[in-house]
Amino acid sequence: MTIFQFPKDFRWGTATASYQIEGAAQEGGRGVSIWDTFARTPGKVFNGDNGDIACDSYHRYEEDIELMKKLGINTYRFSIAWPRIIPDGDGEINREGLDFYHRFVDKLLEAGIEPFCTLYHWDLPQTLEDDGGWGNRRTVDAFVKYAEVIFKEFSGKINFWLTFNEPWCIAFLSNLLGIHAPGNRDLQTSINVAHGLLVAHGKAVQSFRRLGITGQIGIAPNVCWAEPYSKSPEDQAACDRSIALNTDWFLDPIYKGSYPQFMVDWFAEAGATVPIQEGDMEIISQPIDLLGINYYTMGLNRFNPEAGVLQSEEVDMGLTKTDIGWPIESRGLYEFMHYLQKYGNVDVYITENGACINDDLDNGKINDDRRISYYEQHLAQIHRIINDGINLKGYMAWSLMDNFEWAEGYRMRFGLIHVDYRSLVRTPKESFYWYQNVIKNNWLETRS
Ligand SMILES: CCOCCOc1ccc(-c2cn(C[C@@H]3NC[C@@H](O)[C@H]3O)nn2)cc1
């Protein structure tokens, strides 16, 4: 048994997102999002599941906050649904939507829990997608208007802000691979989306500074750490492309004011170019205060000319996998955090980390020992990272509770709390009590 002590001001939290937990999709003046549309498109989401009810957190948020208090977290990452605030994307403001989030945030603050707010966690108003989505500057301007409404409403209540969750998913998973909403499958479209969201990010940060909003603002890329299958230059290059598309493609423009040239050249070969307008890169590279990092797994990659636009394929490493099929390898988090140092020792929060383990109720308990093992391994890496002097300031487990896992629907469960989707009864899993103990002690006690 080993004890890993964490810094006294380390933030312990959990994370969720609006479309995945709220439900009440046709209530409170909410408009239609691209995920409402995508989920209703036959074949896009497992079992035809959708977010109409989800965990019903729109109505049950007080119960959720009681469970957060019981867990002992001091930070809670959530997202605001743009379609609740400006239902048609860039028109009238919906006061009822703002009032819902005021009630929610006030309850969090009452419970002594720091709100950590994501402005955009994938639920784009459908009207804007109908008019070209993130590739249309109208959407960029609409996002800035939405962000300014939220900043002015919640300045002083919310002090931690993220503009976008997982830009790689927004751009490439959703517009090149077509696996998430809106389901496009086009390289140029995905590059246009990536650029549009980066400009929107930069403009929102400019507004944040101009309006004198309290707190810190950043963005939350997801990590795809990968190592080469062999020492061949081709396999190493395939690895580099895979990592870069999740990380450098977004963080180079933000921290360096330019895209990674080797990737720009790679896409040019494929006939796609970045639609940069005069002044864009200066806007995108506004200084930010923090980074959210979402880590789940890592890959072993090799060159394969048939393997998609990156010509990079993952090889099965024979590692234990979670129930969604992702290899469990916490070392990738450690390696990635050192890779990230090329942007400087910036303040980082792990804004998502967790395991899909589909254990169900067994005599009223959920003995999700595999999830405990996953967290134990990854928190041990977090401790190593902090010990190496990297400014890792906090950790948010994905997720507080089981919820709508996008194209997987409700079959994939990431929660510390089990949700019965018929009764909506919440049941803390054994991992909930394990994490509760880590938070109470502010140390990790490994079992081996
Ligand atoms: C066959 C080709 O496959 C390509 C990869 O396909 C995927 C699918 C899904 C993901 C994915 C899902 N999550 C968890 C979410 N993060 C944000 C939060 O909302 C969680 O629900 N992270 N990454 C990645 C890649």
Side-chain angles (χ1 to χ4, degrees), residues 248-264:
D248 307 44
W249 191 257
F250 300 99
L251 297 189
D252 272 28
I254 290 173
Y255 284 107
K256 298 180 176 176
S258 60
Y259 283 91
Q261 194 56 48
F262 82 103
M263 291 298 291
V264 171

Side-chain angles (χ1 to χ4, degrees), residues 392-408:
L392 180 46
K393 302 283 189 183
Y395 179 87
M396 287 149 237
W398 183 272
S399 181
L400 171 69
M401 68 184 110
D402 297 335
N403 58 57
F404 177 80
E405 181 49 38
W406 309 112
E408 300 295 346

